[in-house]
Amino acid sequence: KAKSAAGGGKAKKKKWSKVKRKDKVLTTLSCSYKGTYDNMIKEVPNWKLITPSMLAERHRINGSLAGQGLSELEEKGLISCVAHHTSQTIYTRATNA
């Protein structure tokens, strides 16, 4: 009896699950960045809440590129800064008031 309870049968070898690959993120200023930049200038000023994280996620760009792009949009007056912190900056669309 003790022998059969301890045996338990042969264990199956673990099969590695197939992992979904993340889309390639744009990390440098290149030819493909031009299209993303034009799209960013068109879309971003219409969002109510704008953060570098949101921009990076939606446009598949690096976080540092997203921050640079948003600061450039702020200089142009298309968006305005609500809160600035070392880790995250929050923007909103510019109002005419």
Side-chain angles (χ1 to χ4, degrees):
K1 255 186 172 182
K3 211 176 200 185
S4 62
K10 194 174 181 181
K12 291 182 181 178
K13 192 174 182 181
K14 182 175 178 3
K15 291 183 179 176
W16 293 99
S17 61
K18 296 205 172 18
V19 179
K20 290 181 181 177
R21 288 211 158 177
K22 201 173 181 184
D23 292 341
K24 183 119 172 102
V25 174
L26 191 62
T27 56
T28 56
L29 296 170
S30 61
C31 299
S32 57
Y33 181 72
K34 181 68 177 152
T36 306
Y37 180 75
D38 294 339
N39 197 7
M40 181 181 70
I41 287 179
K42 215 183 311 175
E43 275 184 31
V44 173
N46 299 327
W47 299 347
K48 280 187 179 178
L49 176 70
I50 307 161
T51 62
S53 315
M54 290 172 59
L55 185 63
E57 184 64 31
R58 291 184 188 179
H59 290 276
R60 296 278 182 247
I61 58 175
N62 197 349
S64 59
L65 271 182
Q68 289 173 9
L70 289 178
S71 60
E72 195 171 308
L73 287 177
E74 186 183 14
E75 287 173 14
K76 289 183 178 182
L78 297 172
I79 59 175
S80 58
C81 184
V82 175
H84 180 72
H85 192 266
T86 53
S87 59
Q88 189 75 288
T89 311
I90 302 172
Y91 298 94
T92 189
R93 55 185 168 203
T95 55
N96 295 336

